[in-house]
Amino acid sequence: MTSLSDSASCSASGATRAQRARKVLETALFPTRLDIQDESHRHAHHVEQTRGPNAGATETHFRLYIVSPVFEGMSRVARSRKVHDLLAPELADGLHALALTLRTPAEEEAAP
């Protein structure tokens, strides 16, 4: 697993998808924890779309772990929708899948 911030994909501005996602998520969610991992290499076998660093494509599959007070009072589905809405431009431009762990600070503190 590679950290998203280590990925080689860049936009015209020079920022990686991971860097752009981090900025959007930090601005909207004020996370106390934000882990982003690029798991694109695990999906390089997909035939319908070339993926993975060996195929020249990265930043298509991310695993996000977010702890945010913004999630207070939101259902798991609402939290997921919020993150997907925030990353809609990336999803429309090559981001294919998100694996999400979304918690409130209280849930994170109570977790084993």
Side-chain angles (χ1 to χ4, degrees):
M1 237 183 297
T2 343
S3 167
L4 287 182
S5 57
D6 296 337
S7 186
S9 291
C10 293
S11 71
S13 69
T16 66
R17 185 183 314 279
Q19 291 167 333
R20 293 189 309 267
R22 179 174 299 280
K23 182 176 180 179
V24 166
L25 295 169
E26 285 177 342
T27 300
L29 300 177
F30 312 102
T32 57
R33 177 177 174 183
L34 174 57
D35 298 336
I36 303 175
Q37 294 179 337
D38 185 346
E39 295 184 330
S40 302
H41 66 284
R42 298 179 65 197
H43 302 274
H45 63 281
H46 289 195
V47 176
E48 63 277 2
Q49 184 176 355
T50 304
R51 292 180 170 78
N54 294 336
T58 58
E59 296 193 310
T60 57
H61 291 71
F62 292 155
R63 179 168 301 276
L64 304 179
Y65 192 111
I66 307 171
V67 177
S68 170
V70 173
F71 296 145
E72 292 287 344
M74 295 175 75
S75 70
R76 289 174 60 188
V77 172
R79 295 173 192 189
S80 180
R81 284 185 182 144
K82 176 81 171 168
V83 171
H84 278 85
D85 288 348
L86 289 169
L87 297 179
E90 298 298 339
L91 287 160
D93 189 36
L95 176 57
H96 178 70
L98 296 171
L100 302 174
T101 300
L102 308 172
R103 294 182 172 165
T104 66
E107 291 168 341
E108 178 70 2
E109 193 173 300

